[in-house]
Amino acid sequence: MKKFKNEFIGISSGFLWAVNGLVLSVLLGSELMKNYSEAIVFFLPLVFAGFNDLFAGLLVLGYDKFLGKLKLFLPSLKTKTGKWVCLAGLIGGPVGQCSYIMGISLAGPAYAIPISALCPMFGTILSFIFLKEKINLKTFICIVGCIIGTFVLSYEEPSGNYPYFYLGILFSLIAGFSWGLEATIVTYATKEELDEEIILTIRELISGISILFVVLPFMKLFGGFVTTIQSFAILKYLFFAGFFAGLSYLLYYKGMNLNGVSKGMALNSTFSLWSVVLSVIFLSTPLTMFLVVGVIIVTISIIGLSFNG
């Protein structure tokens, strides 16, 4: 029973990440988008990415307070690892998270989320290049499987209003690459012992703050921030999205601690399948052969990579 409970925690992290994508997708397709000027609607995923990570960071910060670890936050920022985590957060947030939500907006969650889940593949390749980690035959086959699965998944455009479908696929690939690079940096930098909750807090807050107060002003999209904070209905969606994202990350780390890193990553990778299930149920996404086969190939390949070694 205890073993099942540990595995349930890992699977739940993947499920909640898929729910996060579903909430953001529902918001992007809602009538609330009429609150924004047409000039910035295309780039609204950047605004939502900032709020998503900020709310997730505040949730984890509250959890740190509950655990009595809040006093460790500022001292951790001064450590070498803390500084590396800040850099990783800038890559995984402004680049990765923004690309992820752009992908959901342009290609739909059933297609974008599984492709963004290719981060273990990119992480494996980057670790081979920069950390000199070996790639065995099994790893190579799984990487090829990821590539084939991505091709199958994106081969046929979905029905509906997705005129920029392949641009969405590209953004999803950028998200996966960014998160793979982020994981590689953290792996390289984690030499000092920092609590996982503190690392997660740093990552999420750095990401949210940098997107909202650096990226948006730089891209002249800060009007989107102002419009968002004036709408309780929009903030409600973003709060729930951030809540599910923060809880997903906490369960992900907990799952790796209880099940081991490889199994924890594999259980979390089920969000590829959950995203399709939720999209079919709540967004009426057509269940095509290419979608089913592509997601299955990608998911099996990612799980294989997660169990590598």
Side-chain angles (χ1 to χ4, degrees), residues 40-143:
I40 68 169
V41 167
F42 184 83
F43 294 102
L44 270 181
L46 306 187
V47 179
F48 295 162
F51 279 101
N52 178 82
D53 280 9
L54 179 63
F55 286 144
L58 292 175
L59 171 70
V60 182
L61 193 67
Y63 185 65
D64 292 340
K65 173 67 174 177
F66 175 76
L67 295 178
K69 295 182 178 181
L70 192 58
K71 59 182 179 294
L72 302 175
F73 178 70
L74 290 178
S76 297
L77 287 173
K78 300 176 183 179
T79 65
K80 184 177 181 180
T81 298
K83 294 173 182 176
W84 277 107
V85 172
C86 288
L87 174 61
L90 290 173
I91 294 172
V95 181
Q97 189 68 19
C98 289
S99 297
Y100 170 69
I101 302 183
M102 286 293 291
I104 290 176
S105 173
L106 299 176
Y111 294 84
I113 295 177
I115 290 177
S116 70
L118 294 175
C119 43
M121 180 193 76
F122 289 115
T124 299
I125 295 173
L126 290 168
S127 295
F128 168 74
I129 296 173
F130 296 107
L131 304 183
K132 308 304 178 184
E133 294 184 3
K134 295 181 180 179
I135 292 182
N136 56 33
L137 179 60
K138 174 194 163 188
T139 302
F140 178 76
I141 292 174
C142 289
I143 290 174

Side-chain angles (χ1 to χ4, degrees), residues 106-283:
L106 299 176
Y111 294 84
I113 295 177
I115 290 177
S116 70
L118 294 175
C119 43
M121 180 193 76
F122 289 115
T124 299
I125 295 173
L126 290 168
S127 295
F128 168 74
I129 296 173
F130 296 107
L131 304 183
K132 308 304 178 184
E133 294 184 3
K134 295 181 180 179
I135 292 182
N136 56 33
L137 179 60
K138 174 194 163 188
T139 302
F140 178 76
I141 292 174
C142 289
I143 290 174
V144 172
C146 287
I147 296 171
I148 293 174
T150 302
F151 176 78
V152 173
L153 187 60
S154 58
Y155 181 77
E156 185 179 63
E157 294 186 41
S159 60
N161 186 26
Y162 295 104
Y164 302 103
F165 173 72
Y166 289 109
L167 182 59
I169 296 297
L170 176 61
F171 274 118
S172 301
L173 286 169
I174 293 173
F177 176 81
S178 301
W179 289 337
L181 179 57
E182 175 188 7
T184 304
I185 291 174
V186 172
T187 300
Y188 170 77
T190 308
K191 297 177 181 178
E192 298 164 288
E193 288 295 327
L194 293 184
D195 284 309
E196 292 173 342
E197 292 87 0
I198 297 299
I199 291 177
L200 177 56
T201 305
I202 295 173
R203 189 269 185 211
E204 291 296 291
L205 288 179
I206 287 293
S207 173
I209 292 171
S210 61
I211 293 172
L212 292 176
F213 302 109
V214 178
V215 174
L216 296 187
F218 177 77
M219 296 187 66
K220 299 182 179 179
L221 298 172
F222 199 69
F225 171 88
V226 175
T227 301
T228 300
I229 62 175
Q230 292 174 340
S231 172
F232 175 76
I234 295 174
L235 285 175
K236 183 171 63 176
Y237 273 100
L238 293 173
F239 172 79
F240 280 115
F243 172 80
F244 289 124
L247 190 55
S248 172
Y249 267 115
L250 286 172
L251 291 177
Y252 177 43
Y253 283 161
K254 184 69 173 177
M256 287 192 291
N257 183 46
L258 294 173
N259 299 292
V261 174
S262 295
K263 190 173 182 179
M265 291 178 63
L267 293 171
N268 176 261
S269 296
T270 57
F271 71 78
S272 295
L273 292 174
W274 286 122
S275 66
V276 175
V277 172
L278 293 174
S279 295
V280 170
I281 295 174
F282 294 103
L283 302 179

